[in-house]
Amino acid sequence: MQKDKEKGVTMEKLVAFAKNRGFIFAGSEIYGGLANSWDLGPLGTQLKKNIKDLWWKIFVEECQDVVGLDANIIMSTKVWEASGHLEGFNDVLIECRECHARYRADEEIPGFAMRKTGPEGSEATTFTYELVEGHKCKNCGAKGKFTTPTKFNTMFKTNLGPVESEESTVYLRPETAQAMFVDFNEVVRTSRKRIPFGIAQIGKAFRNEITPGNFIFRLREFEQMELEYFIAPPKTKEDWEKQFEYWLDQIMKWLERIGVDMERVKPVEISKEDRAHYSERTVDIEFVYPFGQKELYGLAYRTNYDLEAHQKHSGKSMAYKDPETGEEFIPHVIEPSLGVERTLLAVLLSAYTEEDAPTADGKTETRVVLKLPKELAPIKVAVLPLSNKPELRKLSKKILEKLQQHFVTEYDVTQSIGRRYRRQDEIGTPYCVTIDFESLDDKSVTIRDRDTMKQERVKIEELEDVLKEKFK
Ligand code: GAP
């Protein structure tokens, strides 16, 4: 019987679990930590790698019409001028004058939106300010004590070279996407891809968020898996909508494949007022987290905004010439944009399960199982000798050596076998291989299944093939 599945695991429990099992822990902890920075431990690192590898396999390696890119985090400042990030990548900050708690105005105040901020004294500014005026600080309860909303660019600034000056100022990229536009001509020339085709990238992005938090939900340093799919200028609305629906469907299939609880996935159409400046249509793929329904991924029709902007600012043509018709045009773009850490969070929240399990003495206990899809599990096979006696150890090490050439394998000889099974359940290991004294005679071992807890006896010489079959 599953216990925690319906109501879902709480964030408190998940954070403690992730820390205790070495998935995720607070960054710089020995120095008292650094606000909202999280480091991935051994299992978290492997799980995140498996997520990224699978995304790359599905969206790049298995697609003839998508190629990869690995661009710099620091790009020319002109890129951010052209893309509009220098001017417009802003959050609006308000601060309580009583307790100095800081908030993102659009998140904190119902009805507040950045679009309503206008030039000083304009109707729009007054409207926004009135909303702020009447608002109560949720930290100290003070009413009407907020500072005037101020725009705050969320790009991280640094300097290139030893001299700090305006000329040497550069920015850490706030999205990976711009490199796919800036490098578009080179990719077309070298890959010989024809429109429609996509450029994909996985990499770090940085945003100096005013209110990071909710564990790894909103970070200042995170990774994105982005794909810019270039299409010919659509002649009708259906032309781009067809592509848009295709990518929405691909995102849903991806979420199913990585074991995300689909009942908690909610695609939400974003209104014109709330869309990014470049977007003609945006659907946010939201997820019901324990702290509420919030964005997991975004899908946007960016039109030809970005390529046009880079053409204008760089003076270089970003036009694509159709080799068959000779027609020249600036391609339009559909962009599925996926956050890696939010994926990790949704995967963990979906996989974490508590259920009743029988004990060796016929009683019932609660076991925690991380029901990860096998392809994401950080450890695929655990090799568990029943005892550390030399003859059993020798055989077990031989089996380990063979298996670890094909699967990420863990060897564990401490504690009772029951406790070792529970530990592997908790970290999501699909199969345990147990070597007992009988193995020395019958040249067989036991494979135990994480989800069903069923055990089967398998000849050692067939073990590798049997496991390979199970992972197919
Ligand atoms: N290129 C489009 C773009 O960056 P976005 O909606 O700002 O669009 C895309 O970000 C995705 O990146 C989000 O849906 C989310 O998964 C992830 N993301 C954005 N900001 C984040 C943050 N501060 N922390 C963690 N993930 C974030």
Side-chain angles (χ1 to χ4, degrees):
M1 191 190 80
Q2 292 199 352
K3 277 187 168 172
D4 242 11
K5 201 69 187 170
E6 265 138 59
K7 58 180 163 59
V9 59
T10 61
M11 281 310 287
E12 236 176 6
K13 208 182 235 186
L14 190 85
V15 173
F17 166 80
K19 180 179 164 66
N20 290 338
R21 290 287 165 251
F23 281 93
I24 306 162
F25 30 70
S28 312
E29 211 172 11
I30 61 163
Y31 292 103
L34 175 70
N36 297 294
S37 90
W38 299 95
D39 290 343
L40 297 189
L43 293 173
T45 305
Q46 190 66 40
L47 176 56
K48 182 170 161 181
K49 177 180 181 298
N50 292 348
I51 290 172
K52 292 194 290 183
D53 287 353
L54 185 62
W55 185 85
W56 196 257
K57 179 171 171 288
I58 295 174
F59 290 97
V60 183
E61 292 170 1
E62 291 176 1
C63 293
Q64 278 306 308
D65 57 349
V66 180
V67 289
L69 188 72
D70 185 1
N72 267 21
I73 284 170
I74 295 174
M75 302 175 76
S76 163
T77 299
K78 290 180 181 154
V79 171
W80 310 115
E81 271 167 29
S83 67
H85 283 84
L86 262 185
E87 172 68 22
F89 201 59
N90 299 314
D91 278 344
V92 180
L93 170 73
I94 50 167
E95 185 175 330
C96 173
R97 280 192 292 257
E98 288 292 306
C99 69
H100 301 290
R102 287 181 176 156
Y103 301 99
R104 231 177 86 178
D106 60 324
E107 282 209 334
E108 182 56 22
I109 300 175
F112 185 98
M114 263 208 271
R115 65 181 181 275
K116 291 184 189 117
T117 52
E120 245 346 277
S122 76
E123 206 182 309
T125 310
T126 315
F127 174 50
T128 299
Y129 190 64
E130 271 169 10
L131 283 175
V132 179
E133 272 285 85
H135 196 69
K136 210 168 162 184
C137 173
K138 69 176 174 214
N139 188 45
C140 71
K143 203 170 172 185
K145 294 285 179 189
F146 283 104
T147 53
T148 310
T150 41
K151 277 193 193 173
F152 166 78
N153 194 296
T154 55
M155 281 200 293
F156 275 98
K157 245 189 226 178
T158 185
N159 294 85
L160 216 53
V163 182
E164 276 187 36
S165 69
E166 211 169 290
E167 291 74 53
S168 71
T169 300
V170 286
Y171 298 87
L172 306 188
R173 66 181 176 200
E175 60 169 9
T176 65
Q178 289 307 318
M180 276 84 101
F181 304 124
V182 171
D183 292 347
F184 176 75
N185 288 342
E186 277 303 289
V187 175
V188 171
R189 185 179 69 77
T190 53
S191 70
R192 301 164 62 87
K193 290 288 169 202
R194 292 187 182 181
I195 295 264
F197 81 96
I199 309 178
Q201 183 171 208
I202 300 179
K204 288 263 183 187
F206 300 81
R207 295 181 190 179
N208 203 357
E209 300 277 4
I210 296 172
T211 52
N214 283 324
F215 195 30
I216 54 168
F217 173 76
R218 182 168 291 125
L219 300 161
R220 291 191 170 118
E221 174 180 344
F222 57 97
E223 280 191 83
Q224 291 184 315
M225 305 183 282
E226 294 201 296
L227 199 156
E228 310 303 318
Y229 198 74
F230 298 92
I231 57 173
K235 293 195 171 58
T236 63
K237 202 171 171 221
E238 284 80 56
D239 284 350
W240 67 262
E241 278 190 334
K242 214 166 61 193
Q243 291 286 349
F244 196 93
E245 294 306 326
Y246 171 81
W247 286 106
L248 187 54
D249 191 47
Q250 292 303 303
I251 294 176
M252 292 303 176
K253 287 195 173 114
W254 157 256
L255 286 168
E256 265 182 64
R257 173 113 174 226
I258 59 172
V260 168
D261 181 354
M262 295 309 282
E263 281 177 21
R264 295 166 75 172
V265 174
K266 319 272 176 195
V268 175
E269 193 74 45
I270 303 301
S271 68
K272 189 168 187 275
E273 293 76 24
D274 290 333
R275 288 199 294 262
H277 57 283
Y278 52 70
S279 176
E280 177 77 20
R281 184 183 174 195
T282 297
V283 169
D284 276 356
I285 293 83
E286 299 191 344
F287 181 77
V288 182
Y289 303 91
F291 45 84
Q293 182 178 322
K294 291 184 187 299
E295 181 179 341
L296 171 60
Y297 301 147
L299 174 65
Y301 169 38
R302 291 181 81 126
T303 67
N304 59 1
Y305 178 89
D306 301 273
L307 287 179
E308 284 261 18
H310 288 301
Q311 174 167 286
K312 190 168 150 223
H313 281 76
S314 69
K316 304 271 166 24
S317 168
M318 302 305 279
Y320 169 86
K321 186 172 181 181
D322 189 307
E324 267 161 38
T325 63
E327 192 193 350
E328 275 195 37
F329 53 80
I330 308 262
H332 286 228
V333 168
I334 309 285
E335 177 198 61
S337 177
L338 285 64
V340 178
E341 286 78 4
R342 288 195 192 170
T343 309
L344 189 59
L345 184 55
V347 163
L348 285 173
L349 286 166
S350 304
Y352 183 97
T353 312
E354 287 183 7
E355 60 185 24
D356 288 340
T359 59
D361 54 5
K363 293 192 183 128
T364 303
E365 65 173 11
T366 299
R367 75 163 184 151
V368 172
V369 201
L370 208 53
K371 294 199 169 175
L372 293 169
K374 292 176 200 173
E375 53 194 340
L376 290 192
I379 308 289
K380 307 286 187 223
V381 181
V383 174
L384 311 176
L386 261 195
S387 134
N388 203 17
K389 294 248 166 64
E391 61 275 33
L392 220 52
R393 189 166 62 227
K394 195 168 159 214
L395 176 63
S396 304
K397 290 275 181 182
K398 221 169 124 188
I399 291 173
L400 173 73
E401 262 168 40
K402 226 167 158 214
L403 291 184
Q404 69 190 8
Q405 291 173 27
H406 307 281
F407 313 99
V408 179
T409 310
E410 190 171 271
Y411 185 83
D412 186 8
V413 76
T414 53
Q415 295 188 317
S416 74
I417 190 68
R419 295 187 94 167
R420 278 184 274 163
Y421 282 155
R422 289 287 177 270
R423 183 178 177 275
Q424 294 301 330
D425 290 344
E426 282 186 21
I427 64 172
T429 308
Y431 300 106
C432 292
V433 171
T434 316
I435 300 111
D436 51 33
F437 287 102
E438 249 183 87
S439 305
L440 298 169
D441 300 325
D442 70 0
K443 308 278 180 276
S444 300
V445 291
T446 303
I447 299 181
R448 183 229 186 225
D449 183 292
R450 175 193 72 194
D451 297 335
T452 63
M453 292 184 276
K454 289 213 173 94
Q455 305 193 1
E456 63 180 298
R457 201 77 184 155
V458 174
K459 287 271 171 228
I460 294 173
E461 61 183 26
E462 291 166 11
L463 180 62
E464 196 182 301
D465 287 340
V466 171
L467 283 170
K468 275 187 186 160
E469 191 59 33
K470 286 183 186 293
F471 279 103
K472 253 186 196 166

mmCIF file of all heavy atoms in Angstrom, residues 166 289 332 335 391 435 438 442:
data_model
loop_
_atom_site.group_PDB
_atom_site.id
_atom_site.type_symbol
_atom_site.label_atom_id
_atom_site.label_comp_id
_atom_site.label_asym_id
_atom_site.label_seq_id
_atom_site.Cartn_x
_atom_site.Cartn_y
_atom_site.Cartn_z
ATOM 1 N N GLU A 166 33.915 50.479 -17.258
ATOM 2 C CA GLU A 166 32.690 50.252 -18.032
ATOM 3 C C GLU A 166 32.974 49.393 -19.260
ATOM 4 O O GLU A 166 32.204 48.525 -19.623
ATOM 5 C CB GLU A 166 32.114 51.595 -18.450
ATOM 6 C CG GLU A 166 30.599 51.555 -18.563
ATOM 7 C CD GLU A 166 30.023 52.939 -18.721
ATOM 8 O OE1 GLU A 166 30.063 53.721 -17.744
ATOM 9 O OE2 GLU A 166 29.578 53.213 -19.827
ATOM 10 N N TYR A 289 3.977 21.758 -7.008
ATOM 11 C CA TYR A 289 4.993 21.506 -5.971
ATOM 12 C C TYR A 289 4.282 21.567 -4.614
ATOM 13 O O TYR A 289 3.181 22.119 -4.521
ATOM 14 C CB TYR A 289 6.075 22.599 -6.017
ATOM 15 C CG TYR A 289 6.792 22.757 -7.346
ATOM 16 C CD1 TYR A 289 6.318 23.641 -8.313
ATOM 17 C CD2 TYR A 289 7.953 22.036 -7.630
ATOM 18 C CE1 TYR A 289 6.971 23.808 -9.534
ATOM 19 C CE2 TYR A 289 8.614 22.198 -8.841
ATOM 20 C CZ TYR A 289 8.118 23.090 -9.783
ATOM 21 O OH TYR A 289 8.776 23.252 -10.982
ATOM 22 N N HIS A 332 12.036 31.986 -38.131
ATOM 23 C CA HIS A 332 11.311 32.152 -36.868
ATOM 24 C C HIS A 332 11.698 30.994 -35.944
ATOM 25 O O HIS A 332 12.266 29.993 -36.386
ATOM 26 C CB HIS A 332 9.801 32.151 -37.135
ATOM 27 C CG HIS A 332 9.329 33.425 -37.757
ATOM 28 N ND1 HIS A 332 8.228 34.097 -37.291
ATOM 29 C CD2 HIS A 332 9.815 34.153 -38.803
ATOM 30 C CE1 HIS A 332 8.057 35.186 -38.015
ATOM 31 N NE2 HIS A 332 9.002 35.238 -38.951
ATOM 32 N N GLU A 335 10.741 27.691 -29.100
ATOM 33 C CA GLU A 335 11.745 27.394 -28.071
ATOM 34 C C GLU A 335 11.175 26.642 -26.858
ATOM 35 O O GLU A 335 10.498 27.226 -26.020
ATOM 36 C CB GLU A 335 12.366 28.701 -27.561
ATOM 37 C CG GLU A 335 13.368 28.486 -26.445
ATOM 38 C CD GLU A 335 13.651 29.757 -25.655
ATOM 39 O OE1 GLU A 335 12.727 30.310 -25.045
ATOM 40 O OE2 GLU A 335 14.813 30.207 -25.696
ATOM 41 N N GLU A 391 36.050 -16.337 0.742
ATOM 42 C CA GLU A 391 35.611 -17.044 -0.473
ATOM 43 C C GLU A 391 34.431 -16.332 -1.139
ATOM 44 O O GLU A 391 34.337 -16.238 -2.362
ATOM 45 C CB GLU A 391 35.302 -18.528 -0.193
ATOM 46 C CG GLU A 391 34.192 -18.811 0.803
ATOM 47 C CD GLU A 391 34.634 -18.808 2.271
ATOM 48 O OE1 GLU A 391 35.551 -18.042 2.638
ATOM 49 O OE2 GLU A 391 34.043 -19.578 3.058
ATOM 50 N N ILE A 435 24.822 -12.316 -3.207
ATOM 51 C CA ILE A 435 25.685 -13.499 -3.349
ATOM 52 C C ILE A 435 25.720 -14.188 -1.983
ATOM 53 O O ILE A 435 26.096 -13.564 -0.985
ATOM 54 C CB ILE A 435 27.105 -13.104 -3.826
ATOM 55 C CG1 ILE A 435 26.996 -12.394 -5.190
ATOM 56 C CG2 ILE A 435 28.030 -14.316 -3.948
ATOM 57 C CD1 ILE A 435 27.308 -10.964 -5.168
ATOM 58 N N GLU A 438 25.450 -20.462 -0.921
ATOM 59 C CA GLU A 438 24.994 -21.422 -1.933
ATOM 60 C C GLU A 438 25.572 -21.077 -3.311
ATOM 61 O O GLU A 438 25.776 -21.947 -4.149
ATOM 62 C CB GLU A 438 23.476 -21.372 -2.021
ATOM 63 C CG GLU A 438 22.795 -22.636 -1.487
ATOM 64 C CD GLU A 438 21.303 -22.531 -1.672
ATOM 65 O OE1 GLU A 438 20.824 -22.913 -2.756
ATOM 66 O OE2 GLU A 438 20.658 -22.023 -0.742
ATOM 67 N N ASP A 442 26.112 -23.614 -6.334
ATOM 68 C CA ASP A 442 25.205 -23.698 -7.507
ATOM 69 C C ASP A 442 25.530 -22.653 -8.580
ATOM 70 O O ASP A 442 24.846 -22.559 -9.591
ATOM 71 C CB ASP A 442 23.732 -23.623 -7.068
ATOM 72 C CG ASP A 442 23.333 -22.249 -6.553
ATOM 73 O OD1 ASP A 442 24.197 -21.328 -6.524
ATOM 74 O OD2 ASP A 442 22.163 -22.071 -6.190
#
